[in-house]
Amino acid sequence: MNSILMSSSLLSQSDASPGLMLSLLQRQEVPVVLYDGPFLVVDDLDELGSEMASQYDVILLLAEAPGSELNAAVERIQLTLPDMAIVVALPDQPAAAVIAQYILSGVQEVVSLGMTTLDDWHQAFQLALSRKQYESHLKRFSHYDPLTQLANRSLFQDRLEHSLLQNQRRERGMGILLLDIDRFRVVNDIYGHQIGDELLVACTQRMLDKVRRSDTLARLGSNNFAVILDDINDADCMQRVADKLSQAFNHSFTIGGNEIFISVSMGMELASRVTYDAGQLMRHAELALHQAKRNGRNASLLYQGERSPADKVRLGLESALHHAMDREELHLVYQPQAIVDSGVFVGVEALLRWQHPVLGNVPPSVFIPVLEDTGLIESFGQWALEQSCQQFADWINAGKLSPTTKLSVNLSPRQLHQGDLVTQVQRALNRSGLAARCLTLEVTESMLMNNLDQSVSMLAQLRQLGMSVAIDDFGTGYSSLSYLKDLPIDYLKIDRVFVKDIVEDANDAAIANSIIGLAHNLGLKVIAEGVEEAETLEMLRLFGCDQYQGYFYSKPVRADEVIQLLAPE
């Protein structure tokens, strides 16, 4: 602790001279030298300046009584010298309520001028300083990212608002740059999250080397960063900063003995182009970042001024999807599955469809990614699960389907990693009365590998309830063959990309044949997707494939058409 800064400006004018104040303290046996350093008497709080922060640790405010004037003084000190501990000294012993009031307002200690020993003053100042240090620790914990030690989203937002206010007042330019590390999820999937964290720290250091000390570099999320750039007046200046940051990633990182190559995408906007509005500034930079990613990543773009047609379509889809369920625009279709050898019907796969009143039938490849990005997939997926279970139970109860047939339902990545997925599935079965043995849940290969331990645990719990698990689109995701023997699964579904050309393409035929052989050796059944020709089905029969689905048997149809397909001619 250095020294004490004392303010007497809150006492009556007749007592306000520094000489009288020193005499007052001396009469109470408080020496001029307090805790290894002199104190400075300040008659006017407006004299306080930021240069004093490095000279003093504690400010002692002398006041005649609690009140608005003292409150204003405390607030002014917090704004001017935010790192300084504040001790308020009142003529009489303050009541507990008064002490609590000032502690809550940011004062670290409230004492009486009646204290008569140096030890009392020493203890008061030391307690105030300790409290301030603890508060600073908490503030840093809540305002800084623990991994990179950069400002977090909360502090970034505060600094952005402050920067906008100051630069607008001084008629100076500024801007923000949003940065994403491209394909960072792949690094986590391949090398693990510890290597991913070490890579983030290494990336942070490279970025800090390229920005000015006056700039604020913040981590907003997993692989998302932002830079507040003061004194940036035009697009060329901002582009030069972006180029420097991009160049920092031109050479590889060596993390844990692994050589890792990455690139970054950036979106930028200038404050002067949005009249210094923080919300607009962030939105424009985010749109520019999204455009940079759509353009192939490893690029930096300044906001173009107007949303692209793709952006407008995306925003329109998001809005429409929020209302699609309430407006009953969603429905399910079912694609039959059959045994390869006999053609006997064995079940259906339920598929979600969206019939928009204006756009018509929106392809799943268009609206499913939007559902994933917005988080709506969780509620939509639960709706699809409950509706399809109820429909399948109704068919079985009516004697239209055998109790040995199966319903297959797709799970999205978000659904798979929901903590209450098992409860949701059990609820759907209970409400519909469908037996668990009749339900197969389909997950993609890449979904499993995104968080393997959690995925295995979740699927094992689902299988314990009696249902089956299938890996969908097998062969198109990660190379997970080494994990296949330990996964709690029952079926592999060969993606249509390896099925549709097996008659003409020897490579596709070899891949399909290998997957079937591998699955059978592991005790798994195989379902081929996208079977459209008799020749393709015959080839699958020769390979020993168990089941198939595709246009050769039937395209996906509505519920009332499923039973018609099974009716004898």
Side-chain angles (χ1 to χ4, degrees), residues 36-84:
D36 298 327
F39 60 74
L40 174 68
V41 178
V42 180
D43 286 322
D44 187 353
L45 287 176
D46 290 334
E47 296 178 20
L48 298 180
S50 59
E51 68 277 359
M52 292 182 177
S54 61
Q55 303 175 46
Y56 301 96
D57 295 312
V58 179
I59 182 167
L60 174 62
L61 276 179
L62 305 175
E64 290 183 321
S68 59
E69 191 176 358
L70 181 56
N71 294 339
V74 171
E75 190 172 325
R76 197 181 318 164
I77 292 168
Q78 289 174 327
L79 290 173
T80 308
L81 301 173
D83 296 324
M84 185 171 288

Side-chain angles (χ1 to χ4, degrees), residues 58 90 224 287 289 305 309 324 343 346 376 412 445 460 490 523 530 544 568:
V58 179
L90 300 170
N224 316 123
L287 287 170
L289 174 61
V346 291
L376 290 172
S412 73
E445 191 177 0
D490 305 277

Side-chain angles (χ1 to χ4, degrees), residues 63-71 88 90-92 94-95 98-99 101-102 110:
E64 290 183 321
S68 59
E69 191 176 358
L70 181 56
N71 294 339
V88 171
L90 300 170
D92 300 318
V98 172
I99 295 175
Q101 174 188 347
Y102 281 106
V110 183

Side-chain angles (χ1 to χ4, degrees), residues 335-337 349 442 493 527-531 547-551:
Q335 183 159 45
Q337 298 171 330
E349 178 183 0
E442 298 188 9
K493 298 189 72 173
I527 304 173
E529 297 181 295
V531 178
Q547 300 174 17
Y548 79 97
Q549 65 187 73
Y551 277 35

Side-chain angles (χ1 to χ4, degrees), residues 124-409:
F125 293 142
Q126 186 60 52
L127 180 59
L129 186 59
S130 298
R131 282 176 174 161
K132 187 63 180 180
Q133 290 170 342
Y134 181 65
E135 290 169 11
S136 297
H137 171 75
L138 291 180
K139 183 177 180 181
R140 179 163 188 84
F141 182 79
S142 62
H143 285 84
Y144 289 86
D145 174 54
L147 177 64
T148 63
Q149 302 304 308
L150 296 176
N152 62 13
R153 181 180 291 274
S154 174
L155 182 56
F156 167 80
Q157 194 64 41
D158 287 344
R159 290 188 177 177
L160 178 60
E161 296 282 358
H162 177 76
S163 178
L164 286 167
L165 183 63
Q166 294 297 319
N167 284 291
Q168 185 176 23
R169 181 180 300 163
R170 298 171 184 174
E171 297 183 348
R172 295 188 309 194
M174 62 86 62
I176 60 169
L177 182 151
L178 301 184
L179 180 148
D180 270 12
I181 298 174
D182 296 329
R183 301 183 181 89
F184 179 71
R185 180 179 294 181
V186 176
V187 175
N188 278 337
D189 291 339
I190 295 175
Y191 300 106
H193 288 275
Q194 182 173 346
I195 295 295
D197 286 349
E198 293 180 26
L199 177 62
L200 287 173
V201 173
C203 291
T204 296
Q205 189 54 57
R206 288 196 187 180
M207 288 187 283
L208 286 172
D209 291 341
K210 297 299 181 181
V211 298
R212 301 166 299 180
R213 293 186 64 183
S214 60
D215 297 328
T216 293
L217 175 63
R219 183 186 179 202
L220 304 185
S222 172
N223 59 319
N224 316 123
F225 296 82
V227 188
I228 299 174
L229 300 166
D230 288 317
D231 294 322
I232 294 289
N233 296 302
D234 56 56
D236 290 339
C237 291
M238 182 163 277
Q239 187 61 55
R240 285 195 290 270
V241 175
D243 291 342
K244 288 172 61 178
L245 286 168
S246 182
Q247 290 165 10
F249 295 88
N250 283 345
H251 54 282
S252 65
F253 293 81
T254 301
I255 309 291
N258 303 294
E259 186 178 26
I260 302 174
F261 292 87
I262 59 172
S263 61
V264 293
S265 298
M266 288 171 274
M268 304 172 288
E269 180 59 302
L270 293 165
S272 58
R273 303 207 308 173
V274 293
T275 62
Y276 293 84
D277 179 85
Q280 282 289 90
L281 187 64
M282 284 295 293
R283 281 192 291 274
H284 285 191
E286 287 169 354
L287 287 170
L289 174 61
H290 294 159
Q291 186 61 51
K293 284 183 167 294
R294 280 198 298 269
N295 290 352
R297 300 183 174 89
N298 193 20
S300 57
L301 287 178
L302 184 70
Y303 178 68
Q304 300 301 311
E306 288 293 337
R307 291 189 177 96
S308 68
D311 288 328
K312 293 178 180 178
V313 170
R314 171 60 182 260
L315 290 173
L317 286 177
E318 287 186 15
S319 177
L321 279 168
H322 274 86
H323 302 288
M325 192 176 296
D326 293 337
R327 295 171 180 170
E328 299 183 348
E329 297 170 4
L330 302 174
H331 66 276
L332 294 173
V333 294
Y334 300 88
Q335 183 159 45
Q337 298 171 330
I339 295 176
V340 169
D341 283 338
S342 63
V344 173
F345 172 89
V346 291
V348 295
E349 178 183 0
L351 301 167
L352 184 63
R353 293 293 186 262
W354 179 26
Q355 185 72 28
H356 189 272
V358 177
L359 300 175
N361 188 22
V362 183
S365 59
V366 172
F367 74 84
I368 294 295
V370 180
L371 290 178
E372 285 283 357
D373 290 346
T374 58
L376 290 172
I377 192 66
E378 295 178 9
S379 58
F380 280 50
Q382 181 66 18
W383 179 87
L385 176 65
E386 293 182 353
Q387 293 290 316
S388 57
C389 284
Q390 187 63 62
Q391 178 63 77
F392 207 75
D394 291 345
W395 283 332
I396 292 176
N397 293 335
K400 296 179 179 179
L401 290 184
S402 166
T404 62
T405 54
K406 285 183 174 289
L407 166 70
S408 293
V409 180

